[in-house]
Amino acid sequence: MDIAKAAIENRTLTYVTTLLVVVGGVIAFLNLGRLEDPEFTIKRALVVTQYPGATAHEVEAEVSDPIEEAVQAMGKVKEIKSRSSRGRSTLEVEMKSDVIGDAVTQAFDDLRDKVNDAQGRLPPGAGPSVVEDDFGDVYGIFMAITGEGYSKQELKDHAEALKRELVQVQGVAKVRLFADRQETIYVEPNRDRLSNLGISVDRIAGRLRTQNIVVDAGRVRVGDSHISVRPSGATASLDDLRSILIASQGGRQIFLEDIATVRRGYAAPPRALMRYDGEPAIGLGVSTVDGGNVVTMGRAVKARLDELKADRPVGIEYNYINFQAEDVSEAVSGFVWNLVTAIAIVIVVLLLAMGWRSGLLMGFVLAVTVLGTFILMYATDVVLQRISLGALIIALGMLVDNAVVIVDGILTRLKEGRERVEAASEIVEQTKWPLFGATAVAILGFAAIGTSSDSSGEFLGSLFLVILYSLSLSWVLSVTLAPLLGVDFLKKPDPDEAVESAHDGPVYTVYRRLLQGAINYRWVTVAVITVLMGLSIWGSGFVKQSFFPDSTRPQFLVDVWMPQGTHIRDTEDAVKEAEQYVQGLDAVTHVSSVVGQGALRFVLPYSPERPNSSYAQLIVDVDDWRTISSLKDSVDARLSAMLPRANVYAFPFVFGPGGGTGRIQARISGPNPDSLRAIAQRVEGIFRAHDNTKAVRNDWRNRVEVTRPQVAEDAASALGVTRPDVARAVQRTFEGTRMGVYRRGEDLLPIMMRAPSEERARASNMKNAQVWSPVAGAYVPIRQVVSGFETGFEDGIVWRYKRAPTVSVYADPISGTATSVFQQVRPTVEKLSLPRGYDIEWGGQYENSNEANASLFSAVPIFFVLMVLITVALFNALRQPLIIWLTVPLALIGVVAGLLATGAAFGFTALLGFLSLSGLLIKNAVVVIDEIEIWKQDESLYQAIVGASVVRLRPVMMASITTALGMIPLFTDAFFVAMAVTITSGLLFATVLTMIVVPVLYAILFGVERLPYSER
């Protein structure tokens, strides 16, 4: 079928279809979803199990291990990590990379089933286990609610009211509060009064537990009515609670307020605290429904907040730590501007190189291709974000490649005196299948990332889809719309003038002579290329390595780790000092802090730290992301000096998965905790000895102090006191014991019983903690039933990896990339002599990069075979495809030179760019060899090689130059710069070499004789 002739003869249909694509593309663009960065699924769930009173090792053996064993039976689990601490087990269960879409939800359901099955194997007092599968939820709106002069409860009441309003907004999935203190009712008995009256704490507890229980008294029939029965007596106020009657040993009824102080307070110690610019705050996070538009949701929330502004109490402020809708709008506007700039650059190049008619024609085809791509993106839910728009910029040069070949062919034939339709039809029929094959090969060059199932592949998956859509459309339009526009708008030149000047300009003349020399001295040419390849391979050892680059987000994080076991209030005091210093730095606009755990996940790459009273984090806003590098170095140095007991390290956000701290990570596994700590100390010593490392630490942290009352069995037995009685007495004295609930409106406030403040002010008062003796019928101090108090140290945290106790040692680079530091410390660590049963494996950025690369390369062989088959099918021969594939490695010369010249690191995006180069270079080589095959039917083989190469010089160079210049906007994008350098430098170098090497290899493989000197 003559596609071009059909499009020309049905020009009305062709133009109407084009108009529909233009209009549809504009509409699709306006309605496409928008994100700053693409989403990726966090295929991780937490299994949390409480085991009050147990040590970390008891939790490990009795809770973590049986749950791990049950979960391990799941075929979908990639890895299991567990964190056992005093009284708490937390398993992190990650699913395999091939578990995608709805299968992730099903996998989490299966996880619940396995965890439920394991409950029967847990010890008494442990559980029930809770599976948290919302660990990966992102709260795109995260604000700190502050109010100078307002109490904690007033702030919380306002936050709760705001939560009820926002959860009803269209597009909102969840609204969650953070660091909201639990209001608590404290009952603090007077031990002397209790002893005198013979009232036990258990009697008070029993009364409190039953006071506010909702019980069903049933209904009674009265006439024709069925009336509910509800006994009175529930407490409606604190005064009601204080007036509860407690029976003494003698039968006397005593008001609770006569034997105990009843007051309202807050849960102590708090689990999490938050501050914003030095003021106490409550965090509020809002997440978007699955598949929702974060920009639309953000605008709706903002509108609702504006409506509620009149009802907001004076002095209460909403301070945004993250407002994703605004970030997305600003980012997408920047990406679109880059796209428009790149399109303009490409069109200007076309206008200068091919004349204004040809340039405008191809520019129009390019615009239609881009708009058509928007339609396909809309149809397949590919949103506008950094990767999808970056893919369009990357593809621009390739998009005009097909049209350049067609238009250049039409111009050549018009200059030879052909008729317009004949010229268009002939060039399309001649090149449509070679261009189709070359386009398919170019698409396959990006296909590996489209089939990669890990988080990196998911993050970059839209790159392949956009390339697929745009390049496919470019081929369709180049064989339909481009020839029609050429027939209707290209000017037919004077044939006599044209024939003389078709390919006889100075550029063509220089190229022809250079090519003839290279063919005549072919082995010298091969030797030169071989030397260049050798130098590039040698030079590649000096290229910096990385995974994903640091983000341009104008925020950075500062982790503060006090010694393990530090009280949360002491950690807060340390953070207050840190806040004051950081707030005073130039370029810092706001400082938020969280204490006791990480914040809500407000951006996808952020991984919140699990609860730990010794942990705090600063979230620092700056006015320009470029200042972060110097600021974090200053913060590291100053805060480390200010807080000598703390481990402090600042770090930026990272594009994509695999961010955070601990980019260099060694995992040491083995059975004995003491041996693990000893090996970890040796590894830490190696890390610290390197002059470019900071934040060296291990995840077991320091051992924590523990006090052990030694129960005197004889004395305790004589008084009827058991070991649990002693434990409960100590807990009740200092932290308090939950005795019931108090109803305040819709809220259920816990009722806690604890000793008065003077009795729990010092640890030395532990010996005076009162325990009830049923034999004596009175309280006795526990010093009467314990022989003494021993102080020791124990592991506060025990991590396991793959069901073995594992200590992870972390470090981060002070400057440069983690890979360079890792490569230097790795040999020394691996030379360590380890006891039998212990081993070291590497995690961190090394592991993340290897997993991403393995997932990427797992599909490469398939697409490589397809690319080879296409090139073989195009020529139905072997020598031509061999020539084509021998040119692919030439890209390495330009890539290494470009990366070394710019200082860019070869990371995952650069690797993807390098793989995609193969498709681009093959496409160029196919175009040249196809032309040679046509020429040799009428010319000698030597003349065919030279003549065809000269004819294809402009299309090939134009495609490469437009691709390279179209990359200019990406050189300012921190995420794409390495890929842009890789593609630009690799393509330009390789294209120049290809236009020499392809003809030379063709001459070698086909045995072309050297041209006699007289004929040159």
Side-chain angles (χ1 to χ4, degrees):
M1 177 183 176
D2 192 331
I3 301 175
K5 188 171 287 187
I8 294 168
E9 291 175 351
N10 298 279
R11 54 175 24 90
T12 303
L13 176 61
T14 305
Y15 281 133
V16 169
T17 303
T18 302
L19 178 62
L20 290 175
V21 171
V22 171
V23 174
V26 172
I27 294 172
F29 172 78
L30 295 175
N31 289 278
L32 277 169
R34 283 156 166 77
L35 287 172
E36 183 176 7
D37 292 303
E39 296 177 331
F40 56 90
T41 306
I42 296 178
K43 303 170 186 177
R44 189 180 304 161
L46 303 180
V47 182
V48 181
T49 310
Q50 304 294 339
Y51 188 12
T55 66
H57 284 291
E58 288 170 341
V59 171
E60 175 204 6
E62 300 173 31
V63 177
S64 297
D65 185 66
I67 297 178
E68 285 176 8
E69 184 176 357
V71 173
Q72 189 180 22
M74 291 178 60
K76 300 174 183 177
V77 171
K78 173 188 173 184
E79 67 178 29
I80 304 171
K81 293 192 293 186
S82 68
R83 179 183 186 272
S84 301
S85 56
R86 174 168 283 273
R88 181 186 177 98
S89 164
T90 304
L91 265 68
E92 296 182 9
V93 183
E94 185 174 355
M95 301 302 165
K96 291 180 178 177
S97 60
D98 58 0
V99 179
I100 56 177
D102 294 337
V104 176
T105 303
Q106 181 59 52
F108 289 156
D109 290 339
D110 295 342
L111 174 63
R112 284 190 179 84
D113 293 339
K114 292 294 183 183
V115 171
N116 288 336
D117 292 343
Q119 297 305 291
R121 299 171 55 191
L122 301 184
S129 302
V130 177
V131 177
E132 299 177 6
D133 61 358
D134 59 354
F135 180 68
D137 287 357
V138 177
Y139 295 86
I141 298 175
F142 185 40
M143 67 172 75
I145 302 175
T146 60
E148 188 177 356
Y150 288 86
S151 69
K152 301 181 186 73
Q153 190 57 44
E154 288 171 330
L155 272 182
K156 183 180 178 181
D157 289 344
H158 180 78
E160 289 281 5
L162 184 60
K163 175 182 176 181
R164 287 191 292 270
E165 291 291 341
L166 295 184
V167 79
Q168 301 176 55
V169 174
Q170 183 73 25
V172 169
K174 295 179 184 177
V175 180
R176 182 177 164 188
L177 299 184
F178 175 81
D180 52 325
R181 298 280 301 280
Q182 171 68 61
E183 192 175 12
T184 302
I185 305 300
Y186 285 105
V187 177
E188 299 174 349
N190 183 306
R191 66 182 180 183
D192 294 331
R193 292 281 290 161
L194 293 185
S195 295
N196 292 337
L197 295 170
I199 299 175
S200 70
V201 171
D202 290 339
R203 187 176 300 175
I204 299 174
R207 189 79 174 86
L208 292 174
R209 286 193 188 100
T210 59
Q211 188 64 29
N212 269 357
I213 292 178
V214 175
V215 292
D216 185 10
R219 297 185 177 190
V220 61
R221 182 176 182 181
V222 178
D224 59 354
S225 299
H226 200 200
I227 301 174
S228 298
V229 179
R230 183 177 177 85
S232 64
T235 55
S237 66
L238 280 183
D239 287 338
D240 291 343
L241 194 62
R242 295 184 180 104
S243 299
I244 290 176
L245 293 170
I246 309 293
S248 67
Q249 199 169 35
R252 181 181 169 192
Q253 298 293 316
I254 307 295
F255 288 114
L256 178 60
E257 65 181 351
D258 291 335
I259 55 175
T261 300
V262 179
R263 63 182 183 81
R264 180 180 289 151
Y266 297 94
R271 290 193 60 189
L273 298 168
M274 184 175 186
R275 295 163 60 83
Y276 184 84
D277 284 346
E279 292 187 37
I282 291 178
L284 184 143
V286 183
S287 66
T288 313
V289 295
D290 288 341
N293 187 316
V294 67
V295 176
T296 304
M297 184 275 285
R299 289 171 180 165
V301 168
K302 206 67 174 290
R304 185 58 182 147
L305 290 175
D306 289 340
E307 293 172 2
L308 297 171
K309 193 171 184 179
D311 299 326
R312 187 197 310 177
V314 176
I316 287 185
E317 300 291 338
Y318 302 156
N319 308 283
Y320 292 106
I321 297 171
N322 183 57
F323 197 88
Q324 194 175 14
E326 292 180 352
D327 295 341
V328 167
S329 296
E330 183 178 345
V332 170
S333 297
F335 301 151
V336 171
W337 175 250
N338 285 344
L339 176 61
V340 171
T341 303
I343 292 174
I345 291 172
V346 169
I347 292 175
V348 168
V349 172
L350 292 172
L351 290 172
L352 293 175
M354 301 192 70
W356 71 271
R357 286 180 181 270
S358 301
L360 289 178
L361 186 156
M362 288 182 287
F364 179 72
V365 173
L366 174 61
V368 175
T369 304
V370 171
L371 291 170
T373 302
F374 288 146
I375 295 175
L376 294 177
M377 289 171 61
Y378 181 79
T380 54
D381 294 327
V382 178
V383 302
L384 292 176
Q385 27 83 353
R386 185 188 307 274
I387 306 302
S388 59
L389 287 169
L392 272 176
I393 297 174
I394 292 169
L396 284 180
M398 295 181 280
L399 297 186
V400 299
D401 192 5
N402 292 329
V404 166
V405 172
I406 298 299
V407 173
D408 184 68
I410 294 174
L411 286 172
T412 300
R413 284 158 178 78
L414 289 178
K415 290 175 182 179
E416 294 171 353
R418 308 284 186 87
E419 292 299 321
R420 297 175 188 273
V421 175
E422 178 190 357
S425 174
E426 182 179 310
I427 185 61
V428 170
E429 286 302 297
Q430 175 186 317
T431 60
K432 64 182 179 182
W433 294 122
L435 288 180
F436 178 83
T439 301
V441 168
I443 292 171
L444 290 173
F446 290 89
I449 194 63
T451 57
S452 177
S453 56
D454 79 323
S455 56
S456 301
E458 189 178 358
F459 183 75
L460 291 166
S462 60
L463 181 73
F464 167 68
L465 290 177
V466 173
I467 294 290
L468 171 65
Y469 299 157
S470 57
L471 287 185
S472 301
L473 281 173
S474 77
W475 179 82
V476 172
L477 293 173
S478 70
V479 297
T480 55
L481 181 61
L484 173 58
L485 293 173
V487 168
D488 287 349
F489 296 102
L490 288 181
K491 182 181 178 182
K492 188 173 182 180
D494 182 355
D496 295 331
E497 251 179 55
V499 169
E500 292 177 4
S501 61
H503 295 99
D504 293 332
V507 174
Y508 292 110
T509 301
V510 171
Y511 171 64
R512 183 181 290 106
R513 290 176 179 173
L514 180 64
L515 181 58
Q516 288 175 340
I519 293 174
N520 291 330
Y521 298 95
R522 61 197 67 177
W523 293 112
V524 174
T525 304
V526 171
V528 171
I529 296 299
T530 303
V531 170
L532 289 175
M533 281 296 300
L535 289 173
S536 66
I537 293 171
W538 173 76
S540 64
F542 299 95
V543 174
K544 293 187 291 186
Q545 306 288 315
S546 70
F547 185 37
F548 278 111
D550 290 342
S551 172
T552 55
R553 183 179 182 82
Q555 275 181 336
F556 68 96
L557 304 172
V558 184
D559 277 357
V560 179
W561 284 97
M562 299 296 287
Q564 186 66 21
T566 301
H567 194 281
I568 192 171
R569 289 299 185 186
D570 294 318
T571 305
E572 182 188 26
D573 290 341
V575 167
K576 288 178 181 178
E577 290 185 58
E579 285 176 351
Q580 290 177 354
Y581 167 72
V582 175
Q583 277 184 285
L585 293 173
D586 292 338
V588 172
T589 56
H590 299 287
V591 178
S592 312
S593 65
V594 292
V595 184
Q597 65 182 72
L600 299 181
R601 188 188 296 272
F602 56 93
V603 289
L604 194 55
Y606 174 75
S607 185
E609 184 65 40
R610 304 308 300 164
N612 191 318
S613 64
S614 61
Y615 172 77
Q617 185 176 71
L618 305 183
I619 305 170
V620 185
D621 295 349
V622 296
D623 55 15
D624 187 345
W625 66 271
R626 296 171 187 83
T627 63
I628 290 177
S629 179
S630 59
L631 279 175
K632 65 185 181 67
D633 293 339
S634 301
V635 168
D636 279 339
R638 180 59 178 163
L639 293 189
S640 295
M642 288 174 57
L643 306 172
R645 297 178 63 239
N647 196 339
V648 181
Y649 40 94
F651 57 98
F653 287 89
V654 172
F655 287 117
T661 61
R663 299 188 189 187
I664 305 163
Q665 181 185 140
R667 284 195 293 260
I668 307 147
S669 298
N672 184 273
D674 292 329
S675 298
L676 286 175
R677 284 188 176 275
I679 298 170
Q681 286 179 355
R682 293 165 66 191
V683 175
E684 287 182 46
I686 294 171
F687 285 1
R688 286 195 176 94
H690 194 283
D691 59 5
N692 192 31
T693 57
K694 67 175 185 178
V696 178
R697 73 274 187 200
N698 73 73
D699 59 357
W700 282 36
R701 314 208 65 231
N702 56 283
R703 286 192 164 113
V704 296
E705 190 173 7
V706 59
T707 298
R708 302 183 181 95
Q710 304 297 305
V711 178
E713 296 293 341
D714 293 342
S717 179
L719 290 171
V721 175
T722 64
R723 178 174 172 271
D725 291 335
V726 173
R728 284 192 292 267
V730 174
Q731 182 187 43
R732 185 171 58 244
T733 299
F734 292 95
E735 287 193 350
T737 305
R738 182 166 175 155
M739 296 298 183
V741 294
Y742 169 74
R743 296 180 182 277
R744 191 194 67 172
E746 299 177 355
D747 299 326
L748 297 178
L749 308 184
I751 300 176
M752 302 290 292
M753 183 175 290
R754 67 181 182 186
S757 58
E758 63 272 12
E759 295 180 22
R760 52 186 165 83
R762 292 184 298 173
S764 59
N765 288 337
M766 188 182 301
K767 63 186 178 183
N768 297 321
Q770 299 293 300
V771 61
W772 178 259
S773 168
V775 173
Y779 281 96
V780 297
I782 65 170
R783 64 175 179 269
Q784 294 186 15
V785 294
V786 299
S787 58
F789 297 86
E790 288 187 0
T791 299
F793 291 87
E794 67 180 21
D795 291 316
I797 300 173
V798 175
W799 280 94
R800 287 160 59 99
Y801 178 73
K802 295 180 179 177
R803 302 200 61 203
T806 302
V807 177
S808 294
V809 180
Y810 304 108
D812 287 283
I814 296 173
S815 62
T817 65
T819 303
S820 60
V821 177
F822 168 75
Q823 290 172 343
Q824 293 168 28
V825 299
R826 179 182 182 179
T828 309
V829 172
E830 291 182 348
K831 287 179 183 176
L832 290 176
S833 176
L834 302 180
R836 186 176 180 180
Y838 294 80
D839 64 84
I840 295 177
E841 65 177 79
W842 295 101
Q845 192 176 95
Y846 172 79
E847 181 180 51
N848 293 334
S849 179
N850 281 354
E851 289 179 353
N853 292 344
S855 180
L856 179 67
F857 281 105
S858 65
V860 166
I862 299 173
F863 297 116
F864 175 77
V865 170
L866 288 175
M867 293 163 77
V868 170
L869 287 175
I870 289 172
T871 54
V872 171
L874 285 174
F875 300 100
N876 193 28
L878 293 178
R879 283 182 291 181
Q880 291 88 340
L882 178 60
I883 294 169
I884 292 169
W885 283 97
L886 285 174
T887 63
V888 171
L890 299 179
L892 183 64
I893 300 171
V895 169
V896 171
L899 292 175
L900 288 176
T902 60
F906 188 81
F908 190 73
T909 56
L911 173 63
L912 183 60
F914 185 74
L915 292 177
S916 68
L917 272 175
S918 62
L920 304 178
L921 297 177
I922 288 171
K923 188 175 184 181
N924 288 339
V926 165
V927 169
V928 174
I929 293 179
D930 179 67
E931 190 70 17
I932 294 174
E933 295 298 309
I934 295 171
W935 272 62
K936 74 179 185 180
Q937 296 173 11
D938 302 316
E939 303 281 350
S940 68
L941 196 51
Y942 188 99
Q943 294 297 341
I945 293 173
V946 175
S949 299
V950 170
V951 168
R952 283 288 173 248
L953 178 64
R954 182 163 68 172
V956 170
M957 293 305 297
M958 283 300 303
S960 299
I961 291 172
T962 52
T963 299
L965 294 181
M967 294 276 180
I968 289 176
L970 293 185
F971 278 82
T972 60
D973 188 301
F975 182 81
F976 278 113
V977 61
M979 179 186 280
V981 169
T982 300
I983 293 178
T984 301
S985 58
L987 186 60
L988 289 178
F989 272 77
T991 299
V992 171
L993 295 175
T994 295
M995 294 307 295
I996 299 295
V997 174
V998 167
V1000 168
L1001 291 178
Y1002 200 101
I1004 291 173
L1005 290 182
F1006 282 86
V1008 177
E1009 296 290 335
R1010 292 177 61 180
L1011 191 67
Y1013 186 80
S1014 59
E1015 298 180 20
R1016 296 179 192 177

